[in-house]
Amino acid sequence: MGDKANAHPGAAGRAVTADQPSSVRNVVLVGHSGSGKTTLVEALALTAGAVNRAGRVEEGGTVSDYDEIEHRQQRSVQLSLVPIEWGGCKINVLDTPGYADFVGELRAGLRAADAALFVVSAAQEADAIAGSCRMVWEECAAVGTPRAIVVTHLDTARVDFDELTRVLARIFGGDDPDAILPLYVPVLGPQTPDGHAPATGLVGLLTRKIFDYASGERKENPPDDAQLPLIDEARNRLIEGIIAESEDESLMDRYLGGEEIDLKTLIDDLEKAVARGTFHPVLAAAPAAPGAKQGLGTVELLELITRGFPTPLEREAPAVTTPDGKPRPRITCDPDGPLVAEVVKTSSDPYVGRISLVRVFSGTLRPDETVHVSGHGLADRGHEDHDVDERIGALSAPFGKQQRQLNHCIAGDLACVAKLSRAETGDTLSSKDDPLLMESWTMPDPLLPLAIQAHSKADEDKLSQGLARLVAEDPTMRLEQNQDTHQVVLWCLGEAHKDVALERLRNRYGVQVDVVPHKVSLRETFGSRAAGRGRHVKQSGGHGQYAICEIEVEPLPPGSGIEFVDKVVGGAVPRQFIPSVEKGVRAQAARGVAAGYPLVDVRVTLLDGKAHSVDSSDAAFQTAGALALREAAADARIDLLEPVAEVQVLVPDEYVGPVMSDLSGRRGRVVGTEQAGPGRTLVRADVPEIEIGRYAVDLRSISHGTGRFDRSYARHEAMPPQVAEKIRERTES
């Protein structure tokens, strides 16, 4: 690794295909926003010959032409695929958004890939790297994805690459910082007038060769005598790190005994350790200068991907069952095996329609064949369960805005499928004669509510369909039709996620919506015992109305609901009208008795009443029951009940104090803390839901992007009088 010149590049302008899983590499680029992932994708495509020197695809457009929203916002907002060819391998490069709001796209990329390039900007301070990158690193570690680290923005002044690699080892190394070591180190050119020495090449530590990019094309040179001592110091650390991860236990003893370990053994062990995910080499890269054929470090990255990253054959596929949940044998990456593929991303094209990015785990996917679509269903997020047959449309490989046609897609490879009208992200495609369902990956829980309403009658007609298409593309969103507040609520992951949702509704689906304040489901209850009399007597010619009832209302413990008790004696209220009184009481309770919120947790006892042999009716006693409850409420203290959530906040230890202080300021009660791994604390608290509407945004600010939380409904409890009074004032106005 690192001793090759240019491997055979892929040709621009044609679809890159694969005929064997062993020749496929699926790699996802992850890292913080602004780290240069998309620029790196373009640099790799240029080096591989997939684009010309201007960075343009042969048919027109650039490799990064993905989404109009991305152009306007100047950041990636969705997972994108760029297939390139290098060294006889097809490399599917998946570019993910770096912003925390789009963690769903990151998880989809990790599902589709077999390894990750973790991109870190040298321009960031150590604290910023720890804050923005640690969570992403943990996402990769959670699913066992092998990783290498790529340092970008080497042109930033005062970059100390050695110090930066030590910072990365400290942040990401955990108990084994020696598993994160540089494989190449930059060679600095002459200093500029401002004292900055730009990187002009790289030193391959294992081979002791210098790869010079100063001319715009990679050239191999030997080191001079002054460079060797510095190279050997870093080289020895690297060799010790590789040997520590070697499966050959005798290798360390031989090395410590003074034996010179041959280069082939070291490279083989390095490649195995990288593929296993136990060693994470650090490399450096920079985009090509104007007119250059290659960007600094891009050849080395492509060699690492093709030689060090695992093939699809080396990665275990997710478990499968039948659609009704019966276990099936684990599938293997065999192009001749049963078809099992998964939709990892769903998007819309204004000309083609719905496009599904699919990873094939077994078998071979072909155009125009009929497959079975099985889906887990996410009913709480507006996604229906799927169990239908669909016909595959055209298969293609994306490149910027271009779609290059494919004849097939084998196990281990990725392709785009057109016009799958029912399949959504996370659904399984399999043989219609032997339907299967893959184990799902975990979707992040959206915790930022966005209450919306149609801007006009015309928009109202299109809103339902637009929202359905929106959540079909993005399963990290949750659509809620709140029965208590009668609001349409779109739950998002953060402000940026919310902005993208609104823009897609407006520009992609032609639906104008207005954002309205989000309401929580408040309740009312009696704070004291009270009595009420309902009198509904009308005599205005013809058939009259006559009903009188007397009730007593008393509060019950939380969660009791509405209890109705009949204690009428002597037939004062005829038996056939007692259910009518109860119906009227319950109807009034649902409408509320003070601020218009449902009444709960009371016992209503019917004590007495009067009826008329002719004028009494079901409707009259319903009205009397409602009037009696309202009269009782007028003479009692009515408490407003608010929903309280159980909140669990996971943050680095240094942010525990600010988080607890902030929760207290939200009227929260901290009920406990506990260690949740090295340097992490889980804070548990009960917090009124009305106080945490924007907590997804605020926690990110408090913890510098390192905190996460989840919430679940706990109970309703009485709201403080001063807060309740403000709610009542808003209701009356």
Side-chain angles (χ1 to χ4, degrees):
M1 191 179 300
D3 58 348
K4 284 186 176 182
N6 296 334
H8 177 66
R14 63 174 176 83
V16 183
T17 59
D19 295 318
Q20 294 294 329
S22 59
S23 64
V24 176
R25 302 293 184 275
N26 298 311
V27 57
V28 59
L29 270 64
V30 301
H32 57 86
S33 183
S35 60
K37 295 185 298 298
T38 301
T39 302
L40 182 58
V41 172
E42 294 175 349
L44 293 173
L46 174 64
T47 298
V51 295
N52 60 29
R53 293 190 187 187
R56 300 190 69 79
V57 184
E58 185 177 273
E59 297 92 335
T62 67
V63 69
S64 56
D65 281 337
Y66 301 130
D67 191 290
E68 292 300 324
I69 296 176
E70 294 180 330
H71 285 296
R72 284 191 289 271
Q73 297 196 5
Q74 294 297 301
R75 63 181 170 198
S76 297
V77 299
Q78 64 179 359
L79 178 71
S80 57
L81 169 66
V82 177
I84 59 178
E85 187 177 0
W86 184 264
C89 291
K90 178 184 179 182
I91 304 173
N92 290 312
V93 183
L94 293 150
D95 186 15
T96 63
Y99 203 68
D101 281 11
F102 305 106
V103 65
E105 304 289 323
L106 167 65
R107 292 184 182 177
L110 292 174
R111 179 70 159 208
D114 302 308
L117 285 176
F118 200 94
V119 185
V120 176
S121 171
Q124 279 204 309
E125 300 292 335
D127 289 345
I129 294 175
S132 60
C133 298
R134 186 183 291 165
M135 299 294 286
V136 181
W137 184 270
E138 291 174 358
E139 289 278 351
C140 298
V143 293
T145 304
R147 280 144 283 156
I149 301 173
V150 185
V151 178
T152 58
H153 298 155
L154 294 171
D155 54 344
T156 303
R158 295 179 294 280
V159 170
D160 186 333
F161 187 79
D162 290 339
E163 175 59 27
L164 181 57
T165 55
R166 285 191 286 271
V167 169
L168 296 174
R170 185 179 72 248
I171 294 172
F172 304 131
D175 297 331
D176 191 13
D178 290 336
I180 297 177
L181 291 167
L183 188 58
Y184 299 88
V185 296
V187 175
L188 302 181
Q191 283 193 355
T192 58
D194 62 0
H196 173 48
T200 59
L202 299 172
V203 176
L205 295 180
L206 289 181
T207 60
R208 291 193 181 96
K209 292 179 181 178
I210 294 179
F211 304 105
D212 187 4
Y213 284 85
S215 65
E217 190 169 2
R218 184 179 189 254
K219 296 180 180 179
E220 186 178 307
N221 298 317
D224 57 42
D225 292 340
Q227 293 172 314
L228 282 173
L230 296 176
I231 293 174
D232 286 342
E233 182 181 348
R235 183 177 189 270
N236 290 337
R237 290 199 304 271
L238 174 62
I239 291 173
E240 290 172 7
I242 294 171
I243 291 174
E245 301 297 334
S246 174
E247 296 176 338
D248 184 352
E249 296 180 358
S250 68
L251 205 58
M252 182 62 78
D253 292 335
R254 288 160 50 196
Y255 177 73
L256 295 176
E259 180 180 337
E260 181 72 22
I261 308 300
D262 67 276
L263 184 60
K264 183 180 184 305
T265 298
L266 291 172
I267 292 176
D268 287 346
D269 280 346
L270 169 65
E271 292 172 354
K272 291 176 183 176
V274 171
R276 286 197 311 270
T278 58
F279 187 82
H280 312 293
V282 182
L283 300 90
K293 293 182 178 180
Q294 297 164 337
L296 184 144
T298 52
V299 172
E300 288 72 22
L301 279 175
L302 290 168
E303 289 181 2
L304 173 69
I305 292 169
T306 54
R307 299 177 59 186
F309 279 174
T311 72
L313 296 167
E314 299 171 72
R315 299 284 289 169
E316 187 175 72
V320 295
T321 65
T322 60
D324 58 2
K326 296 177 182 177
R328 292 292 299 271
R330 189 172 288 274
I331 59 173
T332 59
C333 186
D334 180 3
D336 297 321
L339 176 64
V340 182
E342 186 174 40
V343 179
V344 295
K345 172 66 183 175
T346 308
S347 58
S348 293
D349 184 278
Y351 304 106
V352 180
R354 182 180 291 188
I355 298 176
S356 303
L357 177 60
V358 172
R359 161 80 188 249
V360 181
F361 287 90
S362 173
T364 299
L365 190 65
R366 293 182 172 86
D368 300 323
E369 69 177 324
T370 300
V371 299
H372 189 80
V373 178
S374 304
H376 297 272
L378 295 168
D380 64 323
R381 301 193 186 190
H383 298 260
E384 63 179 0
D385 202 6
H386 292 145
D387 192 14
V388 297
D389 290 343
E390 275 206 86
R391 184 168 179 164
I392 295 291
L395 298 185
S396 60
F399 204 84
K401 289 186 176 179
Q402 305 296 324
Q403 292 288 336
R404 298 168 175 172
Q405 296 301 306
L406 296 174
N407 295 323
H408 62 271
C409 181
I410 64 167
D413 203 358
L414 294 163
C416 287
V417 181
K419 298 180 180 178
L420 280 176
S421 60
R422 298 293 298 277
E424 298 180 3
T425 301
D427 284 354
T428 303
L429 310 181
S430 58
S431 168
K432 62 184 179 66
D433 299 322
D434 185 19
L436 296 172
L437 179 62
M438 297 192 75
E439 181 183 43
S440 62
W441 74 83
T442 304
M443 299 288 184
D445 193 14
L447 296 167
L448 181 68
L450 175 67
I452 56 175
Q453 62 186 26
H455 181 70
S456 65
K457 181 65 172 73
D459 294 308
E460 190 173 322
D461 296 337
K462 296 184 290 184
L463 180 59
S464 178
Q465 183 180 6
L467 288 172
R469 294 174 65 185
L470 185 68
V471 297
E473 288 189 22
D474 188 351
T476 64
M477 290 181 181
R478 175 161 58 90
L479 182 62
E480 176 191 6
Q481 305 273 354
N482 193 294
Q483 299 302 312
D484 291 330
T485 64
H486 307 292
Q487 285 189 316
V488 176
V489 183
L490 194 62
W491 290 83
C492 306
L493 293 172
E495 288 282 2
H497 197 211
K498 177 199 75 174
D499 292 343
V500 168
L502 291 173
E503 188 158 355
R504 283 180 176 159
L505 281 173
R506 182 170 56 252
N507 296 324
R508 185 176 290 179
Y509 307 128
V511 184
Q512 294 284 344
V513 297
D514 296 325
V515 178
V516 296
H518 175 246
K519 300 176 183 177
V520 300
S521 302
L522 300 180
R523 301 282 188 268
E524 299 174 354
T525 194
F526 277 61
S528 59
R529 187 185 297 261
R533 185 171 188 267
R535 184 177 185 275
H536 183 61
V537 178
K538 287 189 177 181
Q539 222 44 62
S540 57
H543 200 292
Q545 299 181 49
Y546 190 97
I548 297 174
C549 63
E550 296 180 6
I551 64 171
E552 182 181 70
V553 184
E554 57 186 312
L556 292 177
S560 300
I562 301 290
E563 184 179 322
F564 185 84
V565 179
D566 169 24
K567 285 190 177 181
V568 174
V569 294
V573 177
R575 306 308 302 170
Q576 70 268 28
F577 294 134
I578 290 175
S580 303
V581 176
E582 180 178 358
K583 190 173 181 180
V585 165
R586 291 188 180 275
Q588 185 62 54
R591 294 191 295 268
V593 294
Y597 301 107
L599 179 71
V600 295
D601 303 335
V602 294
R603 177 185 293 123
V604 179
T605 303
L606 178 60
L607 300 174
D608 201 359
K610 291 182 181 179
H612 189 277
S613 59
V614 175
D615 293 339
S616 291
S617 65
D618 170 67
F621 272 100
Q622 283 191 46
T623 302
L627 290 171
L629 185 62
R630 283 156 53 185
E631 182 177 289
D635 295 331
R637 187 184 87 243
I638 302 300
D639 293 333
L640 278 187
L641 304 179
E642 61 181 340
V644 175
E646 291 181 353
V647 176
Q648 298 188 73
V649 187
L650 182 65
V651 288
D653 292 344
E654 59 265 33
Y655 297 114
V656 171
V659 164
M660 292 175 66
S661 176
D662 177 73
L663 291 173
S664 297
R666 298 172 187 270
R667 299 190 285 122
R669 295 186 299 274
V670 176
V671 296
T673 62
E674 58 189 70
Q675 285 301 121
R680 291 265 174 170
T681 297
L682 185 70
V683 180
R684 291 180 286 108
D686 291 344
V687 190
E689 288 190 7
I690 201 169
E691 301 287 351
I692 54 173
R694 288 183 51 82
Y695 194 58
V697 177
D698 298 336
L699 176 62
R700 193 171 296 161
S701 175
I702 295 167
S703 65
H704 293 218
T706 61
R708 63 177 65 174
F709 82 106
D710 56 54
R711 56 187 276 186
S712 59
Y713 170 77
R715 61 192 171 277
H716 272 73
E717 61 181 39
M719 183 180 284
Q722 65 274 20
V723 180
E725 186 59 34
K726 292 180 181 178
I727 297 292
R728 290 192 180 97
E729 289 174 0
R730 285 205 299 265
T731 303
E732 292 170 0
S733 63

